[in-house]
Amino acid sequence: MIANWAEVVNAQAGSPQISHFSAMCLFALLISVALAGLTKRTASERVKYAASCFLKFLAVGIAIGWLMYPFSH
Amino acid sequence: MNNDNPIDGTSSSDALTHNSAGDGGGANQREIRRDVLAPFIAVTAWIVPGLGHLVLRRWGRALIFFLAVGGLAVAGYLLRGNVFPPRIGEPFGTLGFLADAGAGIFYLLSRFFETAGPDVSRAAGDYGTRFIAAAGIVNLLSVFDAYEIALGRRTM
């Protein structure tokens, strides 16, 4: 069943389209959640840490993107 | 979430107290039991992300690691990232394989999710490669965490 579902998704996707920003957000979200689970104990601490980590990931990613901007021209 | 350790039925802090007090045979038996079972927990945690924590009754962590590792791996496969096969003699390929294989059962599921094969000629495929490697690394972190908890070295 999983194989069939994956085949359908792959066939439909063909060439999956995802923006750089979306990929960064997804990556940052999943890694932030994992790090929060690893380092914090209570649910509230985890939510706060994951949110903080996620925003920092985005901030650093965007900052590095702008730092590289001059080299792309 | 509690700190009870199902391996010996004590909390981590209890175990530390017993050990430092040196109460003889009981504490030693618990130590031996932990030493024997901790590697088993580590292997379990590697094969199925979150299962090691589930055995240790860390429900929250088990769910978080399963979703995070599974989410990263499946997203990587759907983006058609490169999955490194076991190959000896190529340092980067070997490192890539070690990172990918860290995802345990999700590494084996790659052939089901990525039926069209990898495509790193586009940015999405390149992102996918990083997602898959990150899934393995995150799972390896969870393996070490479960191992430390099983040994009673980590109380949280």
Side-chain angles (χ1 to χ4, degrees):
Chain A
M1 195 179 79
I2 292 173
N4 289 339
W5 173 78
E7 276 174 17
V8 170
V9 170
N10 273 284
Q12 285 176 346
S15 304
Q17 299 294 321
I18 188 167
S19 70
H20 296 263
F21 185 72
S22 304
M24 184 177 72
C25 286
L26 182 62
F27 186 85
L29 180 69
L30 291 169
I31 296 292
S32 300
V33 168
L35 291 178
L38 189 70
T39 57
K40 301 296 173 187
R41 188 173 174 182
T42 65
S44 62
E45 280 177 339
R46 283 176 179 164
V47 170
K48 280 181 198 167
Y49 186 84
S52 156
C53 200
F54 175 70
L55 292 174
K56 284 171 188 167
F57 258 119
L58 293 194
V60 171
I62 291 168
I64 290 174
W66 275 108
L67 282 174
M68 289 193 295
Y69 179 72
F71 300 102
S72 67
H73 287 73
Chain B
M1 228 176 300
N2 59 34
N3 281 331
D4 293 343
N5 194 326
I7 290 178
D8 55 20
T10 62
S11 72
S12 301
S13 54
D14 287 344
L16 290 174
T17 310
H18 284 305
N19 293 342
S20 58
D23 69 341
N28 285 338
Q29 277 187 344
R30 276 196 293 274
E31 280 290 324
I32 292 166
R33 216 171 147 192
R34 283 182 168 186
D35 288 344
V36 171
L37 285 176
F40 167 75
I41 297 283
V43 172
T44 307
W46 169 62
I47 292 172
V48 180
L51 189 59
H53 289 88
L54 203 66
V55 173
L56 293 166
R57 298 182 196 160
R58 302 300 204 277
W59 319 114
R61 280 190 190 193
L63 184 66
I64 286 170
F65 283 124
F66 183 80
L67 292 178
V69 174
L72 282 164
V74 173
Y77 299 143
L78 294 179
L79 290 170
R80 298 182 64 186
N82 187 28
V83 181
F84 289 90
R87 211 179 297 157
I88 298 170
E90 192 189 335
F92 285 111
T94 305
L95 286 173
F97 166 70
L98 290 175
D100 290 358
I105 197 164
F106 284 104
Y107 179 76
L108 300 176
L109 288 174
S110 63
R111 66 182 64 183
F112 294 107
F113 284 107
E114 205 174 18
T115 52
D119 180 8
V120 291
S121 63
R122 295 165 301 103
D126 212 17
Y127 289 143
T129 305
R130 312 298 162 225
F131 273 66
I132 296 164
I137 300 300
V138 167
N139 195 40
L140 289 178
L141 282 175
S142 91
V143 168
F144 289 125
D145 186 58
Y147 183 73
E148 292 288 301
I149 292 171
L151 283 177
R153 290 180 191 161
R154 195 173 161 93
T155 56
M156 54 181 283

